[in-house]
């Protein structure tokens, strides 16, 4: 945005190189006005959370450059954060989850998505799993959580049935692999020593999920318009799992343990019953339905 170029989207993001921009140019007196216009245009294209995140990243970088005495001014002064109303629809309905399992996708995706939903774990944590971190007999795996702490995630029979086929005869290395050999320079920890393939990246995993869920997210759309549609994000599987647990009456201590949140406040956005749960609640208390029973 500082150089006036649009950010790449979709497949173009992979391997995209940022334009060269001299840091000293940030002190250009004309930049704040130009930047404000570019930020407004960006806000029209993206959701408020994305725009606010990008603004926060830019300000942190500018603050660091100022501390190095490379620049003096801050061209983002005057650009306000966009109001981001809370999203009440992040949890997928149970019929949407069922439709997801019916998609014809590769074994890797089936296993990854199942594990995310059944464990309610974060996508980046699951992608960091190695084969040697798994305890299949106990349906659990050892992960490195935020802050570097070692924690456990637990899954159910759906994941347990798929894992042996995904692992095959491998005994170590990344659990979820790319389809190709790892390129030169890939860190050793991210390369399977038995196949030579690389660890699946979060960006690629997100792209695959988004592309495969476009028609599920837009059930009234035509398949001919799929390129113009937006699918779901991986985070919605974690959100959905915790919301469905709450709807089924799971206690707050168990939800905290399952989500691995430190406070109840952090859990609040997940423990909000969805539309289907509210509809069931109302229907179950309908006097006509009670008389019929």
């Amino acid at each position: 945005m500082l150089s006036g170029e649009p950010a790449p989207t979709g497949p173009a993001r992979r391997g995209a190189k940022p334009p060269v921009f001299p840091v000293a140019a940030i002190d250009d007196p004309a930049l704040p006005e130009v930047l404000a216009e570019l930020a407004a245009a960006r806000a029209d294209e993206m959701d408020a959370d994305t725009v606010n995140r990008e603004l926060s990243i830019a300000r942190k970088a500018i603050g660091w450059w100022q501390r190095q005495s490379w620049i003096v001014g801050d061209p983002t002064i005057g650009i306000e954060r966009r109001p981001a109303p809370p999203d009440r629809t992040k949890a997928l309905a149970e019929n949407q989850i069922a439709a997801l399992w019916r998609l014809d996708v590769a074994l890797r995706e089936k296993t990854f998505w199942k594990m995310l939903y059944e464990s309610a774990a974060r996508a980046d944590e699951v992608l960091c799993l190695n084969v040697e971190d798994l305890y299949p007999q106990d349906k659990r795996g050892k992960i490195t959580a935020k802050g570097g702490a070692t924690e456990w995630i637990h899954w159910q029979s759906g994941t347990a049935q798929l894992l042996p086929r995904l692992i095959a005869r491998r005994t170590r290395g990344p659990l979820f692999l790319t389809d190709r050999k790892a390129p030169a320079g890939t860190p050793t920890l991210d390369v399977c020593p038995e196949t030579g393939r690389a660890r699946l990246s979060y960006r690629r995993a997100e792209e695959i999920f988004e592309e495969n869920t476009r028609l599920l997210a837009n059930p009234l759309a035509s398949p001919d318009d799929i390129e113009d549609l937006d699918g779901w994000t991986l985070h919605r599987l974690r959100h959905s799992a915790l919301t469905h647990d709450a709807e089924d009456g799971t206690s707050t201590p168990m939800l905290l343990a399952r989500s691995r949140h430190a406070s109840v406040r952090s859990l609040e956005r997940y423990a909000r019953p969805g539309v289907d749960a509210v509809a069931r609640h109302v229907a179950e208390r309908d006097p006509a339905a009670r008389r019929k029973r």
Side-chain angles (χ1 to χ4, degrees):
M1 190 165 63
L2 290 171
S3 62
E5 295 186 17
T9 58
R13 292 175 57 192
R14 299 188 68 192
K17 295 183 178 179
V20 175
F21 185 83
V23 175
I26 291 177
D27 281 329
D28 184 340
L31 185 59
E33 182 177 352
V34 173
L35 196 59
E37 294 178 358
L38 291 170
R42 179 72 169 155
D44 290 338
E45 300 172 354
M46 307 298 294
D47 62 272
D49 287 334
T50 299
V51 174
N52 292 338
R53 182 173 65 252
E54 292 179 349
L55 179 60
S56 177
I57 292 170
R59 284 178 170 161
K60 286 182 179 179
I62 288 169
W64 191 84
W65 293 331
Q66 288 174 326
R67 292 193 294 274
Q68 309 310 307
S69 300
W70 294 349
I71 60 174
V72 176
D74 181 353
T76 68
I77 292 177
I79 300 178
E80 297 182 356
R81 291 174 61 86
R82 297 279 162 166
D87 187 351
R88 308 296 190 197
T89 63
K90 284 187 176 179
L92 301 171
E94 292 184 3
N95 66 319
Q96 291 177 305
I97 293 292
L100 179 66
W101 304 150
R102 292 194 295 268
L103 288 179
D104 184 14
V105 295
L107 174 62
R108 179 187 65 190
E109 275 60 61
K110 285 182 180 179
T111 310
F112 181 47
W113 301 348
K114 274 278 187 181
M115 182 177 283
L116 287 183
Y117 180 70
E118 292 185 351
S119 68
R122 299 175 180 88
D124 55 346
E125 296 172 338
V126 171
L127 288 171
C128 286
L129 278 172
N130 291 329
V131 175
E132 57 267 35
D133 297 327
L134 307 180
Y135 292 74
Q137 68 279 10
D138 298 320
K139 298 180 183 175
R140 68 178 65 170
K142 183 169 58 176
I143 62 168
T144 301
K146 289 182 177 180
T150 298
E151 296 181 347
W152 295 88
I153 62 171
H154 306 261
W155 52 81
Q156 298 168 324
S157 298
T159 302
Q161 291 170 1
L162 294 169
L163 273 175
R165 293 167 53 199
L166 179 73
I167 297 171
R169 297 181 180 178
R170 292 185 291 136
T171 58
R172 57 198 176 106
L175 175 60
F176 296 100
L177 301 171
T178 58
D179 297 324
R180 304 175 183 175
K181 294 287 185 180
T186 303
T188 303
L189 292 176
D190 292 330
V191 179
C192 174
E194 299 175 18
T195 66
R197 290 151 59 194
R199 186 187 305 275
L200 181 66
S201 71
Y202 183 96
R203 175 179 292 184
R204 182 57 185 146
E206 184 80 279
E207 287 176 353
I208 293 171
F209 187 67
E210 191 274 333
E211 290 169 2
N212 279 278
T213 57
R214 288 178 182 176
L215 291 179
L216 295 182
N218 303 274
L220 299 181
S222 167
D224 296 335
D225 300 326
I226 193 168
E227 294 298 328
D228 300 321
L229 303 176
D230 292 324
W232 296 329
T233 62
L234 288 170
H235 179 71
R236 295 187 71 173
L237 291 176
R238 169 175 164 83
H239 195 114
S240 302
L242 294 172
T243 297
H244 295 164
D245 276 358
E247 291 171 351
D248 291 339
T250 302
S251 67
T252 298
M254 183 56 70
L255 285 173
L256 280 172
R258 186 152 152 74
S259 66
R260 290 170 288 112
H261 279 299
S263 69
V264 174
R265 186 166 186 175
S266 300
L267 187 65
E268 286 179 351
R269 64 181 181 273
Y270 299 104
R272 183 181 298 275
V275 174
D276 289 346
V278 174
R280 286 197 301 270
H281 174 83
V282 173
E284 288 169 359
R285 285 155 180 78
D286 187 329
R290 289 180 177 178
R291 287 195 298 270
K292 191 173 182 179
R293 289 198 295 269

